[in-house]
Amino acid sequence: MADDLLIKTLIVILASVCAISLVARLRFAAAGGYLLAGLVIGPHGLQLITASDEARFLAELGIIFLMFMVGLEFSLSAMIAARRDVFGAGSLQVGFTVFIVTGIATLSGVSLSGAVLLGGAVAMSSTAITLKQLVDQGEVSSQQGRLVLGILLFQDLAVLPFLVVLGGWQPGGGPEPLGALRQLATATIALGAAAFVCKPVFRTWLTWVARTSSADLFLLTVLLLALGTAFVGHVAGLSGPIGAFLAGMVVSESDFRHQVEDDIRPFRDILLGLFFVTVGMEVDPSTMAVAPMTVLAWIAVCLPGKAVVVILVGAIMRWPAPVAVRVALILAHGGEAGLLLLTQAVRVNALEAGVGQPALLALAVTMALGPMLI
């Protein structure tokens, strides 16, 4: 059993190295390489590895660290200062996209709940891909960079209700209204507890750890915070990633935010890469042959469709036309949160595979194109 696990690990790492080398030469995002690696070695490719529970567990860890890092970006003071961009433009972009995609999917015969989940998945863009490309281009502090960052912050916040609902979804059944309300109420209470109760506790704890001048102890403490709050969130009836997000949000208000980001980033990058590999393993490339027009339609919804929505938002918010077009192109691609929502929705039968697979493949394609558009 140990030998089998070692062989599978080597296959994943070797495939990832080869795929990342390829996409790096083509100047695509690393996420595209991980998706390609999963596609090649997965059950729809060379069938070298199946999506086992062990791989899904490690991928879940990647999602936990991703949401912890997202929480670190949620400085309340920064959000209040940029509230027009975050809550104004962000809510319009997500709201319009969800409304339009829900209407299109419903007319295509998708159930209302599944159509809303599709809309939420399409509305999300990749924070990791966007910020990395903007940093490389020196555009983070530009006008379009600030607007993009505000909208991305709202997108990251907007994904939480979708994750809460999916966390209480009954496989083969559907969403339970009372269960969903209970989950949302629990999340709201947890958010309040994190803001008013955990904040001083975490700050005092991290201050004491920092005074020991032990880098190992600080790193272990950060890992304990991320995984411990994920476990507490799970016990409380929420998903682990939401608990980790709350912990990251609390830590973001401390003086150790940047040190925590630097320490946790290697774990997030590697485990998030494994998440992308597992997503790639679930993508069925034969969908392109079976339903090519459906895949192309979803690509059209994601790229020009989202771009038009952002330009509309820019007109409402009275952005200069050139800036609105730039923001539209930057945010047109799909994101890891969208992949997460789609894979979770298919897994709990909130979406049929015949509906989720084309959208999943389209999102993966747009993520690969994202850096070039930016």
Side-chain angles (χ1 to χ4, degrees):
M1 183 176 180
D3 290 342
D4 185 52
L5 183 60
L6 178 59
I7 292 172
K8 289 181 179 179
T9 304
L10 287 173
I11 290 173
V12 170
I13 294 175
L14 179 60
S16 299
V17 168
C18 294
I20 296 295
S21 300
L22 176 63
V23 299
R25 287 181 176 274
L26 298 175
R27 296 191 176 183
F28 287 169
Y34 287 118
L35 288 168
L36 178 61
L39 187 72
V40 171
I41 66 177
H44 302 294
L46 300 178
Q47 300 182 358
L48 299 177
I49 294 180
T50 58
S52 62
D53 291 338
E54 293 85 355
R56 289 197 179 100
F57 170 72
L58 292 176
E60 181 77 8
L61 289 182
I63 298 167
I64 286 171
F65 283 116
L66 169 67
M67 295 305 294
F68 182 75
M69 293 289 285
V70 168
L72 288 175
E73 300 295 330
F74 276 82
S75 169
L76 289 177
S77 56
M79 289 182 67
I80 292 173
R83 58 187 176 276
R84 189 171 186 271
D85 299 332
V86 176
F87 297 105
S91 62
L92 288 175
Q93 185 269 328
V94 172
F96 284 162
T97 306
V98 171
F99 178 77
I100 293 170
V101 174
T102 298
I104 294 172
T106 304
L107 291 175
S108 301
V110 181
S111 65
L112 179 60
S113 55
V116 172
L117 289 172
L118 281 170
V122 171
M124 305 303 161
S125 305
S126 173
T127 302
I129 291 174
T130 303
L131 290 185
K132 182 181 184 303
Q133 194 66 31
L134 289 178
V135 168
D136 291 345
Q137 296 175 189
E139 293 188 59
V140 173
S141 59
S142 64
Q143 185 178 4
Q144 64 263 22
R146 292 194 299 271
L147 292 172
V148 165
L149 181 59
I151 294 175
L152 287 173
L153 282 173
F154 187 85
Q155 287 181 2
D156 290 335
L157 186 63
V159 77
L160 294 178
F162 292 102
L163 289 176
V164 168
V165 172
L166 280 174
W169 201 283
Q170 301 299 317
E176 292 185 351
L178 292 179
L181 288 174
R182 185 166 56 250
Q183 290 257 331
L184 290 172
T186 303
T188 303
I189 294 171
L191 184 64
F196 298 104
V197 179
C198 298
K199 182 177 176 180
V201 175
F202 282 14
R203 178 175 293 177
T204 303
W205 187 10
L206 287 173
T207 301
W208 177 82
V209 171
R211 286 176 181 169
T212 65
S213 300
S214 172
D216 291 343
L217 180 59
F218 191 87
L219 175 59
L220 288 170
T221 301
V222 172
L223 293 176
L224 180 61
L225 280 176
L227 296 176
T229 49
F231 175 73
V232 171
H234 176 72
V235 171
L238 298 172
S239 66
I242 293 177
F245 168 83
L246 295 174
M249 189 188 70
V250 172
V251 174
S252 72
E253 296 294 325
S254 72
D255 299 329
F256 307 101
R257 170 185 169 185
H258 297 295
Q259 184 178 352
V260 170
E261 280 184 320
D262 292 340
D263 286 348
I264 211 75
R265 183 169 283 108
F267 293 92
R268 183 207 66 175
D269 290 345
I270 296 299
L271 292 172
L272 187 59
L274 184 56
F275 162 70
F276 284 128
V277 170
T278 58
V279 171
M281 292 168 65
E282 296 186 20
V283 173
D284 187 356
S286 65
T287 304
M288 181 60 82
V290 174
M293 298 308 297
T294 304
V295 175
L296 292 175
W298 278 115
I299 293 175
V301 169
C302 291
L303 292 180
K306 280 176 69 175
V308 169
V309 167
V310 175
I311 290 174
L312 174 61
V313 171
I316 294 173
M317 303 297 291
R318 297 184 178 180
W319 298 341
V323 172
V325 172
R326 290 190 183 103
V327 174
L329 289 175
I330 290 171
L331 294 175
H333 64 280
E336 52 272 354
L339 294 178
L340 172 60
L341 289 177
L342 285 180
T343 51
Q344 296 280 60
V346 172
R347 195 168 294 162
V348 299
N349 294 325
L351 277 175
E352 295 180 2
V355 175
Q357 279 291 340
L360 191 63
L361 184 56
L363 280 188
V365 171
T366 63
M367 286 182 69
L369 297 174
M372 289 189 296
L373 287 172
I374 299 170

